[in-house]
Amino acid sequence: MKITFIGATHEVTGSCTLVEIGQTVFLVDCGMEQGVNRFENVPLPVEASRVDFVLLTHAHIDHSGHLPLLYKKGFRGTVYATESTDSLCEIMLRDSAHIQESEAEWKNRKSRRAGRQEVEPLYTLEDAEGVLKQFRPCPYEKQIQVSENVSIRFTDIGHLLGSSAIEVWLTEGDVQKKIVFSGDVGNINQPIINDPQPVREADYVVLESTYGNRLHGERPDYIGSLAEILQTTFDRGGTVVIPSFAVGRTQEMLYFIREIKKKGLVHGHDGFPVYVDSPLANEATGIFMQCPAENLDAETRALLEKGVNPLWFDGLKMSLSKEDSQAINLDLAPKVILSASGMCDAGRVRHHLKHNLWHAENTILFVGYQAEGTLGRALVEGAEHVRIFDEEIAVNAEIRVLAGVSGHADKNGLIRWLGNFEPKPAQVFINHGDDESCVAFVRCLCEELGYVAMAPYSGTSYDLARGTFVVRTEGVARQKAPAGRDPRALAAFNELMTAVKKLELLVQGAGGRPNKELKQMARQAEKLYEEWNEARL
């Protein structure tokens, strides 16, 4: 009965945790890393074909984005997720695969011209289609037996449509343990979706810490603040570009803009157009309006019961084709452009930034978390010039942040959700936060609130039955490429570092092996060192 932490350890993205009980092997989340990765992740210590099933907390790509890669490597088990997560993954994983294929093709065009080796996409649409066939949608609040020794239950965690904390009951012989994975804990009082629901009991909790060292502050007047930004920008003849996550944040912005138009809060620009330039966002909006009613909060349900679409208004224009997208910037009238991606690291929004960043009358409005190393983070931190499509662009537009708009709970929200567990869990594992955030949050839980908590690095394993660490690793800083270094040489070096990390984990977990095997391992390691040391000399 062992848990091993793979991804989102001292980092915000790439969530992936391995659980082994008897002959059963499963993952909780299988996410893609985004932005700058500060630490190396250990490779999955089992073959993908050995994974019996995956429990998916929600559809965001940093939690689901490597599922097609897992399928490509041989996974054929079941993916358990809520009904709305299943629906969102249908569009998001296909979209992610399209991005992988498109980026590989773009790189290969450049490689062919330069005579360099071509690359393969991380995965293809075929891989995404394959893993989507493995999904099994599950309702909230129903305990489900997923194997002989594992049962689960999804609870609404209020972060995204369909998002969940997952309760997991493990039975091995006469030992029974319960572990709860928080997924991403939602902020309270968000439009459209419910607040996070409590879970009451657990032996162990794995808790995110994206905002583990920060507070959102008093709830701002989102609608009033957004109306002020629109009014100021339109009055000077500008456009408001909102880089927005296609799923979740775009729908919230539509909800707010509908209220602004309904109440007439922007003056002198009646009927201002709002372009949603993201096919994925347009599909996701349809899913929001067709989801089970219990996934929506009371205010949204009340509007729907009155026959009011809370995400539609006069002047809303859905951009579907490439030609539709290109035409938006030919319209010189004041307008709003909502376009993905939310961190500006891919997608159509980069084209809109290229056209609008250098005009002082425009506003670029950020409405979500900007990970380290992304274009969005650079703009928020005051970059005066940025490179987009290999062209340097001056940042003359006003850069604004709609404070407090976050789908994540802040430090107090995390503590409030954790406080529902009575008695306190025997151990709290903190993940899914950057290094400073998760370390500070652990210190708060231990020193101020009396929890037993720690933030594992990738490769750390814990015996859930005995309540002891099997392997406790330290963080391995990811190597950065020196200027001008051959990327193929860097890839080979990183492959070597991964192999060394595997060997280190093997040695750390070898304490119980017979002396004969330990001596044999030592001789082999010494021989390897001598061979390569002599070659270096």
Side-chain angles (χ1 to χ4, degrees), residues 2-7 16-20 42 45 458-462:
K2 183 174 72 171
I3 183 171
T4 303
F5 299 90
I6 308 295
C16 184
T17 306
L18 174 71
V19 180
E20 300 168 84
V42 300
S458 185
T460 292
S461 293
Y462 188 87

Side-chain angles (χ1 to χ4, degrees), residues 109-163:
R109 285 198 301 270
K110 296 180 68 176
S111 295
R112 286 192 289 269
R113 289 195 295 266
R116 295 194 299 265
Q117 184 177 353
E118 295 188 20
V119 300
E120 288 187 4
L122 186 65
Y123 52 79
T124 65
L125 180 59
E126 184 179 357
D127 299 318
E129 296 280 5
V131 80
L132 286 168
K133 293 176 183 176
Q134 308 301 115
F135 271 64
R136 175 183 164 185
C138 303
Y140 281 127
E141 301 301 337
K142 179 180 179 181
Q143 191 164 338
I144 301 166
Q145 195 78 30
V146 294
S147 73
E148 182 180 355
N149 45 11
V150 180
S151 64
I152 64 171
R153 181 165 63 198
F154 293 93
T155 299
D156 195 340
I157 201 65
H159 170 67
L160 175 72
L161 187 72
S163 64

Side-chain angles (χ1 to χ4, degrees), residues 472-489:
R472 191 163 180 171
T473 62
E474 296 297 327
V476 177
R478 179 160 293 194
Q479 299 293 319
K480 294 185 179 179
R485 183 168 177 176
D486 182 350
R488 288 173 294 182

Side-chain angles (χ1 to χ4, degrees), residues 256-436:
F256 292 149
I257 294 171
R258 177 190 165 277
E259 285 292 304
I260 289 170
K261 282 180 169 273
K262 175 187 173 185
K263 296 176 180 178
L265 299 180
V266 173
H267 308 287
H269 306 280
D270 295 340
F272 64 87
V274 176
Y275 293 91
V276 179
D277 188 24
S278 167
L280 178 63
N282 293 329
E283 289 185 271
T285 301
I287 289 173
F288 269 71
M289 290 297 91
Q290 297 167 21
C291 73
E294 60 267 22
N295 287 190
L296 305 173
D297 65 15
E299 293 83 358
T300 304
R301 290 198 303 270
L303 287 173
L304 291 172
E305 288 168 2
K306 294 176 183 176
V308 176
N309 186 333
L311 305 181
W312 189 266
F313 45 80
D314 289 340
L316 179 60
K317 302 175 186 294
M318 300 295 192
S319 174
L320 300 177
S321 69
K322 181 179 178 181
E323 291 72 26
D324 291 339
S325 178
Q326 292 171 337
I328 293 172
N329 290 302
L330 300 177
D331 177 6
L332 301 181
K335 57 188 173 296
V336 175
I337 304 172
L338 279 158
S339 187
S341 73
M343 298 186 195
C344 310
D345 51 352
R348 293 182 177 183
V349 74
R350 295 171 73 89
H351 294 276
H352 296 301
L353 292 174
K354 179 180 176 180
H355 281 89
N356 291 280
L357 264 175
W358 55 284
H359 290 288
E361 67 271 20
N362 296 333
T363 297
I364 312 301
L365 176 60
F366 288 94
V367 294
Y369 181 82
Q370 302 301 308
E372 183 180 353
T374 60
L375 175 57
R377 181 71 163 259
L379 290 169
V380 167
E381 291 183 344
E384 296 181 357
H385 295 83
V386 295
R387 293 195 70 81
I388 302 177
F389 302 123
D390 290 330
E391 182 178 341
E392 187 167 290
I393 308 293
V395 181
N396 297 324
E398 182 179 9
I399 306 299
R400 297 285 296 270
V401 176
L402 195 59
V405 177
S406 175
H408 286 269
D410 65 4
K411 175 182 174 181
N412 286 344
L414 295 171
I415 291 171
R416 181 169 54 248
W417 185 80
L418 184 60
N420 289 302
F421 290 92
E422 295 181 1
K424 287 182 171 132
Q427 176 78 52
V428 180
F429 301 101
I430 300 300
N431 70 351
H432 208 282
D434 62 32
D435 191 51
E436 295 79 9

Side-chain angles (χ1 to χ4, degrees), residues 161-172:
L161 187 72
S163 64
S164 60
I166 306 178
E167 301 170 76
V168 183
W169 287 266
L170 304 170
T171 303
E172 191 170 30

